[in-house]
Amino acid sequence: MLNNSKKGQAFILSAPAGTGKTTLVERLTAEFPGIVRSISYTTRKQRGGEQEGKDYHFVSFQEFEHKINRGDFVEYAEVFGNFYGTDKASVGRLLDQGLDAVLVIDTQGALEIKPFFKGVYIFMGPPSIEELEKRLRERKTDSHDDIELRLSWAQKELQQAPHYDYNIINCNLEKTYNVLKSIFIAEKYKLKK
């Protein structure tokens, strides 16, 4: 249904941690084989259940710095003391194969590349900061201090929503998925991009 062009399209998705972006992107890529998530590089330690090459490419600070110096990244940013970056060649290969690439990038990285990187920019926010805090605590992957840091950062990220093409509030996973899917379908059939 979404494969009506020879060249793929980039979709940049930003959302505060705990908003549900990973769940929604996994669902989207499962339903539409022509949509794939670009796998970012990170210096962050691998969490339980995460897989190398599926969730992230986990690299050392030295490897990451080497990739920066070679100009390998479309964008990169430091978030909570760790670096995250999107590999230019990997994204290019996906698009050249006619696949639509979802780049899950934080707001600072997304807004850094927006002036020169063609794509559809989607921001997803929580219904409220209180709900976001509840979700972060329920997933039990972060310490109290980390959650406080993430909530503080989320406040800053929410202010960046007007710079995106779309702004979705994830109040209900099913409804939010249908909105996200609709954006992808509409953008694939848009005549003027």
PDB file of all heavy atoms in Angstrom, residues 25-52:
ATOM      1  N   VAL A  25       6.664   2.431  16.445  1.00  0.00           N
ATOM      2  CA  VAL A  25       7.498   2.190  15.264  1.00  0.00           C
ATOM      3  C   VAL A  25       7.600   0.697  14.998  1.00  0.00           C
ATOM      4  O   VAL A  25       7.527   0.253  13.838  1.00  0.00           O
ATOM      5  CB  VAL A  25       8.885   2.857  15.403  1.00  0.00           C
ATOM      6  CG1 VAL A  25       9.829   2.398  14.294  1.00  0.00           C
ATOM      7  CG2 VAL A  25       8.749   4.374  15.387  1.00  0.00           C
ATOM      8  N   GLU A  26       7.737  -0.110  16.033  1.00  0.00           N
ATOM      9  CA  GLU A  26       7.787  -1.568  15.849  1.00  0.00           C
ATOM     10  C   GLU A  26       6.495  -2.073  15.210  1.00  0.00           C
ATOM     11  O   GLU A  26       6.517  -2.929  14.333  1.00  0.00           O
ATOM     12  CB  GLU A  26       8.021  -2.270  17.192  1.00  0.00           C
ATOM     13  CG  GLU A  26       9.440  -2.174  17.668  1.00  0.00           C
ATOM     14  CD  GLU A  26       9.654  -2.749  19.061  1.00  0.00           C
ATOM     15  OE1 GLU A  26       8.673  -3.187  19.708  1.00  0.00           O
ATOM     16  OE2 GLU A  26      10.825  -2.756  19.500  1.00  0.00           O
ATOM     17  N   ARG A  27       5.389  -1.546  15.637  1.00  0.00           N
ATOM     18  CA  ARG A  27       4.097  -1.952  15.080  1.00  0.00           C
ATOM     19  C   ARG A  27       3.969  -1.531  13.611  1.00  0.00           C
ATOM     20  O   ARG A  27       3.496  -2.291  12.768  1.00  0.00           O
ATOM     21  CB  ARG A  27       2.988  -1.329  15.925  1.00  0.00           C
ATOM     22  CG  ARG A  27       1.655  -1.910  15.645  1.00  0.00           C
ATOM     23  CD  ARG A  27       0.680  -1.546  16.716  1.00  0.00           C
ATOM     24  NE  ARG A  27      -0.653  -1.817  16.225  1.00  0.00           N
ATOM     25  CZ  ARG A  27      -1.741  -1.405  16.809  1.00  0.00           C
ATOM     26  NH1 ARG A  27      -1.687  -0.714  17.922  1.00  0.00           N
ATOM     27  NH2 ARG A  27      -2.913  -1.675  16.301  1.00  0.00           N
ATOM     28  N   LEU A  28       4.424  -0.336  13.308  1.00  0.00           N
ATOM     29  CA  LEU A  28       4.381   0.184  11.946  1.00  0.00           C
ATOM     30  C   LEU A  28       5.242  -0.661  11.006  1.00  0.00           C
ATOM     31  O   LEU A  28       4.809  -1.032   9.913  1.00  0.00           O
ATOM     32  CB  LEU A  28       4.858   1.637  11.956  1.00  0.00           C
ATOM     33  CG  LEU A  28       4.621   2.491  10.732  1.00  0.00           C
ATOM     34  CD1 LEU A  28       3.130   2.709  10.493  1.00  0.00           C
ATOM     35  CD2 LEU A  28       5.307   3.839  10.906  1.00  0.00           C
ATOM     36  N   THR A  29       6.459  -0.980  11.434  1.00  0.00           N
ATOM     37  CA  THR A  29       7.358  -1.771  10.584  1.00  0.00           C
ATOM     38  C   THR A  29       6.880  -3.209  10.450  1.00  0.00           C
ATOM     39  O   THR A  29       7.145  -3.856   9.433  1.00  0.00           O
ATOM     40  CB  THR A  29       8.808  -1.733  11.113  1.00  0.00           C
ATOM     41  OG1 THR A  29       8.847  -2.222  12.450  1.00  0.00           O
ATOM     42  CG2 THR A  29       9.375  -0.322  11.063  1.00  0.00           C
ATOM     43  N   ALA A  30       6.164  -3.721  11.436  1.00  0.00           N
ATOM     44  CA  ALA A  30       5.609  -5.079  11.338  1.00  0.00           C
ATOM     45  C   ALA A  30       4.458  -5.119  10.329  1.00  0.00           C
ATOM     46  O   ALA A  30       4.308  -6.090   9.584  1.00  0.00           O
ATOM     47  CB  ALA A  30       5.125  -5.551  12.712  1.00  0.00           C
ATOM     48  N   GLU A  31       3.658  -4.070  10.300  1.00  0.00           N
ATOM     49  CA  GLU A  31       2.514  -4.045   9.378  1.00  0.00           C
ATOM     50  C   GLU A  31       2.927  -3.726   7.950  1.00  0.00           C
ATOM     51  O   GLU A  31       2.347  -4.246   6.996  1.00  0.00           O
ATOM     52  CB  GLU A  31       1.466  -3.025   9.841  1.00  0.00           C
ATOM     53  CG  GLU A  31       0.232  -3.027   8.958  1.00  0.00           C
ATOM     54  CD  GLU A  31      -0.909  -2.149   9.455  1.00  0.00           C
ATOM     55  OE1 GLU A  31      -0.839  -1.630  10.594  1.00  0.00           O
ATOM     56  OE2 GLU A  31      -1.877  -1.984   8.696  1.00  0.00           O
ATOM     57  N   PHE A  32       3.942  -2.868   7.779  1.00  0.00           N
ATOM     58  CA  PHE A  32       4.364  -2.437   6.446  1.00  0.00           C
ATOM     59  C   PHE A  32       5.825  -2.816   6.206  1.00  0.00           C
ATOM     60  O   PHE A  32       6.731  -2.130   6.693  1.00  0.00           O
ATOM     61  CB  PHE A  32       4.192  -0.920   6.307  1.00  0.00           C
ATOM     62  CG  PHE A  32       2.773  -0.458   6.469  1.00  0.00           C
ATOM     63  CD1 PHE A  32       2.356   0.095   7.675  1.00  0.00           C
ATOM     64  CD2 PHE A  32       1.862  -0.580   5.434  1.00  0.00           C
ATOM     65  CE1 PHE A  32       1.044   0.515   7.836  1.00  0.00           C
ATOM     66  CE2 PHE A  32       0.546  -0.160   5.590  1.00  0.00           C
ATOM     67  CZ  PHE A  32       0.127   0.387   6.792  1.00  0.00           C
ATOM     68  N   PRO A  33       6.074  -3.885   5.444  1.00  0.00           N
ATOM     69  CA  PRO A  33       7.457  -4.322   5.199  1.00  0.00           C
ATOM     70  C   PRO A  33       8.327  -3.278   4.492  1.00  0.00           C
ATOM     71  O   PRO A  33       9.536  -3.333   4.573  1.00  0.00           O
ATOM     72  CB  PRO A  33       7.291  -5.568   4.321  1.00  0.00           C
ATOM     73  CG  PRO A  33       5.872  -5.984   4.483  1.00  0.00           C
ATOM     74  CD  PRO A  33       5.091  -4.760   4.841  1.00  0.00           C
ATOM     75  N   GLY A  34       7.702  -2.315   3.821  1.00  0.00           N
ATOM     76  CA  GLY A  34       8.462  -1.277   3.126  1.00  0.00           C
ATOM     77  C   GLY A  34       8.920  -0.149   4.027  1.00  0.00           C
ATOM     78  O   GLY A  34       9.567   0.786   3.571  1.00  0.00           O
ATOM     79  N   ILE A  35       8.566  -0.239   5.318  1.00  0.00           N
ATOM     80  CA  ILE A  35       9.007   0.763   6.296  1.00  0.00           C
ATOM     81  C   ILE A  35       9.994   0.094   7.236  1.00  0.00           C
ATOM     82  O   ILE A  35       9.712  -0.969   7.795  1.00  0.00           O
ATOM     83  CB  ILE A  35       7.821   1.323   7.111  1.00  0.00           C
ATOM     84  CG1 ILE A  35       6.797   1.994   6.187  1.00  0.00           C
ATOM     85  CG2 ILE A  35       8.311   2.319   8.161  1.00  0.00           C
ATOM     86  CD1 ILE A  35       5.528   2.434   6.892  1.00  0.00           C
ATOM     87  N   VAL A  36      11.160   0.698   7.391  1.00  0.00           N
ATOM     88  CA  VAL A  36      12.170   0.144   8.293  1.00  0.00           C
ATOM     89  C   VAL A  36      12.687   1.242   9.210  1.00  0.00           C
ATOM     90  O   VAL A  36      12.716   2.413   8.839  1.00  0.00           O
ATOM     91  CB  VAL A  36      13.349  -0.496   7.533  1.00  0.00           C
ATOM     92  CG1 VAL A  36      12.914  -1.727   6.771  1.00  0.00           C
ATOM     93  CG2 VAL A  36      13.991   0.491   6.591  1.00  0.00           C
ATOM     94  N   ARG A  37      13.085   0.841  10.398  1.00  0.00           N
ATOM     95  CA  ARG A  37      13.659   1.804  11.335  1.00  0.00           C
ATOM     96  C   ARG A  37      15.156   1.857  11.124  1.00  0.00           C
ATOM     97  O   ARG A  37      15.830   0.826  11.073  1.00  0.00           O
ATOM     98  CB  ARG A  37      13.357   1.396  12.783  1.00  0.00           C
ATOM     99  CG  ARG A  37      13.874   2.405  13.798  1.00  0.00           C
ATOM    100  CD  ARG A  37      13.411   2.074  15.199  1.00  0.00           C
ATOM    101  NE  ARG A  37      14.096   0.949  15.779  1.00  0.00           N
ATOM    102  CZ  ARG A  37      15.165   1.039  16.563  1.00  0.00           C
ATOM    103  NH1 ARG A  37      15.660   2.211  16.869  1.00  0.00           N
ATOM    104  NH2 ARG A  37      15.731  -0.040  17.052  1.00  0.00           N
ATOM    105  N   SER A  38      15.665   3.061  10.988  1.00  0.00           N
ATOM    106  CA  SER A  38      17.109   3.256  10.923  1.00  0.00           C
ATOM    107  C   SER A  38      17.670   2.967  12.320  1.00  0.00           C
ATOM    108  O   SER A  38      17.144   3.457  13.312  1.00  0.00           O
ATOM    109  CB  SER A  38      17.404   4.699  10.519  1.00  0.00           C
ATOM    110  OG  SER A  38      18.757   4.997  10.703  1.00  0.00           O
ATOM    111  N   ILE A  39      18.706   2.171  12.383  1.00  0.00           N
ATOM    112  CA  ILE A  39      19.300   1.796  13.671  1.00  0.00           C
ATOM    113  C   ILE A  39      20.415   2.780  14.006  1.00  0.00           C
ATOM    114  O   ILE A  39      21.411   2.875  13.288  1.00  0.00           O
ATOM    115  CB  ILE A  39      19.852   0.338  13.645  1.00  0.00           C
ATOM    116  CG1 ILE A  39      18.790  -0.640  13.137  1.00  0.00           C
ATOM    117  CG2 ILE A  39      20.378  -0.061  15.014  1.00  0.00           C
ATOM    118  CD1 ILE A  39      17.514  -0.690  13.946  1.00  0.00           C
ATOM    119  N   SER A  40      20.228   3.509  15.082  1.00  0.00           N
ATOM    120  CA  SER A  40      21.195   4.521  15.503  1.00  0.00           C
ATOM    121  C   SER A  40      22.401   3.893  16.190  1.00  0.00           C
ATOM    122  O   SER A  40      22.328   2.779  16.706  1.00  0.00           O
ATOM    123  CB  SER A  40      20.536   5.498  16.486  1.00  0.00           C
ATOM    124  OG  SER A  40      19.485   6.185  15.873  1.00  0.00           O
ATOM    125  N   TYR A  41      23.474   4.643  16.204  1.00  0.00           N
ATOM    126  CA  TYR A  41      24.665   4.286  16.972  1.00  0.00           C
ATOM    127  C   TYR A  41      24.572   4.989  18.316  1.00  0.00           C
ATOM    128  O   TYR A  41      24.085   6.114  18.404  1.00  0.00           O
ATOM    129  CB  TYR A  41      25.931   4.745  16.244  1.00  0.00           C
ATOM    130  CG  TYR A  41      26.312   3.834  15.108  1.00  0.00           C
ATOM    131  CD1 TYR A  41      25.626   3.889  13.894  1.00  0.00           C
ATOM    132  CD2 TYR A  41      27.340   2.908  15.241  1.00  0.00           C
ATOM    133  CE1 TYR A  41      25.959   3.046  12.843  1.00  0.00           C
ATOM    134  CE2 TYR A  41      27.681   2.059  14.183  1.00  0.00           C
ATOM    135  CZ  TYR A  41      26.986   2.139  13.001  1.00  0.00           C
ATOM    136  OH  TYR A  41      27.316   1.292  11.968  1.00  0.00           O
ATOM    137  N   THR A  42      25.047   4.326  19.361  1.00  0.00           N
ATOM    138  CA  THR A  42      25.062   4.957  20.674  1.00  0.00           C
ATOM    139  C   THR A  42      26.251   4.487  21.499  1.00  0.00           C
ATOM    140  O   THR A  42      26.735   3.368  21.322  1.00  0.00           O
ATOM    141  CB  THR A  42      23.755   4.687  21.457  1.00  0.00           C
ATOM    142  OG1 THR A  42      23.788   5.429  22.688  1.00  0.00           O
ATOM    143  CG2 THR A  42      23.574   3.212  21.780  1.00  0.00           C
ATOM    144  N   THR A  43      26.670   5.362  22.403  1.00  0.00           N
ATOM    145  CA  THR A  43      27.715   5.002  23.365  1.00  0.00           C
ATOM    146  C   THR A  43      27.077   4.523  24.672  1.00  0.00           C
ATOM    147  O   THR A  43      27.792   4.151  25.596  1.00  0.00           O
ATOM    148  CB  THR A  43      28.620   6.216  23.660  1.00  0.00           C
ATOM    149  OG1 THR A  43      27.821   7.283  24.169  1.00  0.00           O
ATOM    150  CG2 THR A  43      29.353   6.667  22.412  1.00  0.00           C
ATOM    151  N   ARG A  44      25.750   4.545  24.730  1.00  0.00           N
ATOM    152  CA  ARG A  44      25.041   4.101  25.934  1.00  0.00           C
ATOM    153  C   ARG A  44      25.230   2.600  26.120  1.00  0.00           C
ATOM    154  O   ARG A  44      25.346   1.851  25.165  1.00  0.00           O
ATOM    155  CB  ARG A  44      23.539   4.424  25.792  1.00  0.00           C
ATOM    156  CG  ARG A  44      22.716   3.929  26.952  1.00  0.00           C
ATOM    157  CD  ARG A  44      21.269   4.353  26.888  1.00  0.00           C
ATOM    158  NE  ARG A  44      20.442   3.815  25.842  1.00  0.00           N
ATOM    159  CZ  ARG A  44      20.050   2.541  25.736  1.00  0.00           C
ATOM    160  NH1 ARG A  44      20.466   1.620  26.565  1.00  0.00           N
ATOM    161  NH2 ARG A  44      19.253   2.176  24.755  1.00  0.00           N
ATOM    162  N   LYS A  45      25.257   2.177  27.372  1.00  0.00           N
ATOM    163  CA  LYS A  45      25.364   0.750  27.684  1.00  0.00           C
ATOM    164  C   LYS A  45      24.076   0.045  27.264  1.00  0.00           C
ATOM    165  O   LYS A  45      22.982   0.583  27.378  1.00  0.00           O
ATOM    166  CB  LYS A  45      25.604   0.523  29.178  1.00  0.00           C
ATOM    167  CG  LYS A  45      26.916   1.096  29.677  1.00  0.00           C
ATOM    168  CD  LYS A  45      28.081   0.307  29.137  1.00  0.00           C
ATOM    169  CE  LYS A  45      29.388   0.858  29.668  1.00  0.00           C
ATOM    170  NZ  LYS A  45      30.475   0.760  28.733  1.00  0.00           N
ATOM    171  N   GLN A  46      24.244  -1.167  26.811  1.00  0.00           N
ATOM    172  CA  GLN A  46      23.112  -1.987  26.393  1.00  0.00           C
ATOM    173  C   GLN A  46      22.257  -2.361  27.605  1.00  0.00           C
ATOM    174  O   GLN A  46      22.780  -2.777  28.629  1.00  0.00           O
ATOM    175  CB  GLN A  46      23.670  -3.249  25.722  1.00  0.00           C
ATOM    176  CG  GLN A  46      22.710  -4.027  24.912  1.00  0.00           C
ATOM    177  CD  GLN A  46      23.415  -5.102  24.086  1.00  0.00           C
ATOM    178  OE1 GLN A  46      24.626  -5.081  23.912  1.00  0.00           O
ATOM    179  NE2 GLN A  46      22.653  -6.045  23.591  1.00  0.00           N
ATOM    180  N   ARG A  47      20.941  -2.162  27.494  1.00  0.00           N
ATOM    181  CA  ARG A  47      20.019  -2.539  28.568  1.00  0.00           C
ATOM    182  C   ARG A  47      19.551  -3.969  28.368  1.00  0.00           C
ATOM    183  O   ARG A  47      19.607  -4.505  27.257  1.00  0.00           O
ATOM    184  CB  ARG A  47      18.792  -1.618  28.567  1.00  0.00           C
ATOM    185  CG  ARG A  47      19.097  -0.187  28.940  1.00  0.00           C
ATOM    186  CD  ARG A  47      17.823   0.646  28.931  1.00  0.00           C
ATOM    187  NE  ARG A  47      18.104   2.037  29.207  1.00  0.00           N
ATOM    188  CZ  ARG A  47      17.455   3.053  28.667  1.00  0.00           C
ATOM    189  NH1 ARG A  47      16.455   2.849  27.838  1.00  0.00           N
ATOM    190  NH2 ARG A  47      17.777   4.296  28.978  1.00  0.00           N
ATOM    191  N   GLY A  48      19.040  -4.562  29.434  1.00  0.00           N
ATOM    192  CA  GLY A  48      18.509  -5.917  29.354  1.00  0.00           C
ATOM    193  C   GLY A  48      17.434  -6.016  28.293  1.00  0.00           C
ATOM    194  O   GLY A  48      16.555  -5.163  28.211  1.00  0.00           O
ATOM    195  N   GLY A  49      17.517  -7.029  27.453  1.00  0.00           N
ATOM    196  CA  GLY A  49      16.526  -7.230  26.403  1.00  0.00           C
ATOM    197  C   GLY A  49      16.866  -6.549  25.093  1.00  0.00           C
ATOM    198  O   GLY A  49      16.283  -6.858  24.057  1.00  0.00           O
ATOM    199  N   GLU A  50      17.804  -5.593  25.097  1.00  0.00           N
ATOM    200  CA  GLU A  50      18.188  -4.922  23.864  1.00  0.00           C
ATOM    201  C   GLU A  50      19.162  -5.793  23.080  1.00  0.00           C
ATOM    202  O   GLU A  50      19.982  -6.507  23.661  1.00  0.00           O
ATOM    203  CB  GLU A  50      18.843  -3.569  24.161  1.00  0.00           C
ATOM    204  CG  GLU A  50      17.874  -2.528  24.664  1.00  0.00           C
ATOM    205  CD  GLU A  50      18.524  -1.180  24.908  1.00  0.00           C
ATOM    206  OE1 GLU A  50      19.718  -1.137  25.276  1.00  0.00           O
ATOM    207  OE2 GLU A  50      17.821  -0.177  24.743  1.00  0.00           O
ATOM    208  N   GLN A  51      19.063  -5.698  21.760  1.00  0.00           N
ATOM    209  CA  GLN A  51      19.920  -6.496  20.888  1.00  0.00           C
ATOM    210  C   GLN A  51      20.767  -5.594  20.003  1.00  0.00           C
ATOM    211  O   GLN A  51      20.255  -4.614  19.438  1.00  0.00           O
ATOM    212  CB  GLN A  51      19.070  -7.406  20.006  1.00  0.00           C
ATOM    213  CG  GLN A  51      18.288  -8.446  20.767  1.00  0.00           C
ATOM    214  CD  GLN A  51      17.376  -9.242  19.842  1.00  0.00           C
ATOM    215  OE1 GLN A  51      17.624  -9.323  18.643  1.00  0.00           O
ATOM    216  NE2 GLN A  51      16.341  -9.826  20.399  1.00  0.00           N
ATOM    217  N   GLU A  52      22.029  -5.943  19.877  1.00  0.00           N
ATOM    218  CA  GLU A  52      22.949  -5.227  18.996  1.00  0.00           C
ATOM    219  C   GLU A  52      22.428  -5.330  17.563  1.00  0.00           C
ATOM    220  O   GLU A  52      22.074  -6.403  17.098  1.00  0.00           O
ATOM    221  CB  GLU A  52      24.351  -5.839  19.096  1.00  0.00           C
ATOM    222  CG  GLU A  52      25.307  -5.449  17.987  1.00  0.00           C
ATOM    223  CD  GLU A  52      25.606  -3.955  17.938  1.00  0.00           C
ATOM    224  OE1 GLU A  52      25.664  -3.293  18.985  1.00  0.00           O
ATOM    225  OE2 GLU A  52      25.774  -3.443  16.819  1.00  0.00           O
TER     226      GLU A  52
END
